[in-house]
Amino acid sequence: MKLNTAFYYIREGFTNVKRNRAMTVASITSVTAALLILGLFLIIILNVDSMANQVESQLELKAFINDSYDMSKVTKVGDEIKAIDGVKSITFESKKDALNNFKKQLGDKSYLVNGLENDNPMPQSFIVKVTDANMMKQVAEEIKKIDGVTQVSYGQDVVDKLLGIIKIIRIVGLCVILILFIISVVIISNTIKLGVFARRREINIMKYIGATDWFIRWPFLVEGIVLGLVGSILAIVILGLIYGYAADLVNNKLVIFTLLPVRNVLRQTLMYFLAIGSLIGALGSGISIKRFLNV
């Protein structure tokens, strides 16, 4: 494509935007509304994924060590656990530490275990964190094979159910975004089609004098991309204001989980929105004008 021709397409695209102000406003409004809905689901999915990562990072398993093992043998067991593929870190919890932690869990009723210091029934153990929560079961099975490990505990049923729920949420979220994207393209296509229909005589004249389909199509594609970009920028601004207010409100009430900071969300969604807005505009224009080019 020659540079002069490219400038012509861009100039004509912007001219079309200015010339058809009513259709321009309608198209931008449609893009903004579609991306607002899409953006809300995207933000929800980003936060759910963040919460899932927080939960996964807190998952850990406990490997209980034989009470008769002295520190040299315990250290050897620890080295063997570290060597297992998927183990991120291990922390040794002595019998004394285990009793103190149990007292903290009891809170005001910690007096119930007073006097157990001399005959401590709590086992010594290693607290193991894994690189991937999906490897919990695999790592646990490998640890069980080590001599000196009496039991491995990680709440298998709870972990399996939790990971299953997280996986379903992520898959459903991606499917919802895909469906909303398709709906957005259809909405934009129908809106832009009205503008193309109003210029059908102009298109027919250009075809009559020998203009190629792509020569006619490019200005409309540029117009669609411009409308998509403007709509996406408006959507980002509105979403930023809404999410900023919602994040402050929720984070002040939630203790366990916190929503992603507004700056992080906008940084993650900005390029997506600009790309999706441009793509929706281009696809909408391309689909709209195809019918008239085939006549």
Side-chain angles (χ1 to χ4, degrees), residues 62-69 71 74 91-102 105 116-117 119-127 148-153:
K62 264 194 172 185
F64 297 100
I65 312 301
N66 194 316
D67 282 345
S68 64
Y69 272 37
M71 280 310 298
V74 169
T91 305
F92 177 66
E93 185 179 63
S94 65
K95 294 170 67 69
K96 182 180 179 181
D97 292 336
L99 183 59
N100 289 334
N101 290 334
F102 185 54
Q105 292 176 12
L116 292 179
E117 289 81 1
D119 189 19
N120 190 344
M122 304 299 289
Q124 55 187 349
S125 63
F126 280 104
I127 300 170
V149 176
T150 58
Q151 183 184 351
V152 178
S153 173

Side-chain angles (χ1 to χ4, degrees), residues 83-144:
I84 295 174
D85 185 37
V87 172
K88 182 179 180 181
S89 65
I90 65 170
T91 305
F92 177 66
E93 185 179 63
S94 65
K95 294 170 67 69
K96 182 180 179 181
D97 292 336
L99 183 59
N100 289 334
N101 290 334
F102 185 54
K103 285 182 178 180
K104 290 178 182 178
Q105 292 176 12
L106 291 175
D108 295 338
K109 297 182 180 180
S110 61
Y111 63 86
L112 294 173
V113 294
N114 287 341
L116 292 179
E117 289 81 1
N118 297 326
D119 189 19
N120 190 344
M122 304 299 289
Q124 55 187 349
S125 63
F126 280 104
I127 300 170
V128 183
K129 288 186 176 292
V130 295
T131 53
D132 184 350
N134 293 302
M135 298 182 68
M136 290 282 284
K137 186 175 182 179
Q138 177 185 333
V139 171
E141 293 300 322
E142 291 296 320
I143 293 176
K144 286 178 182 178

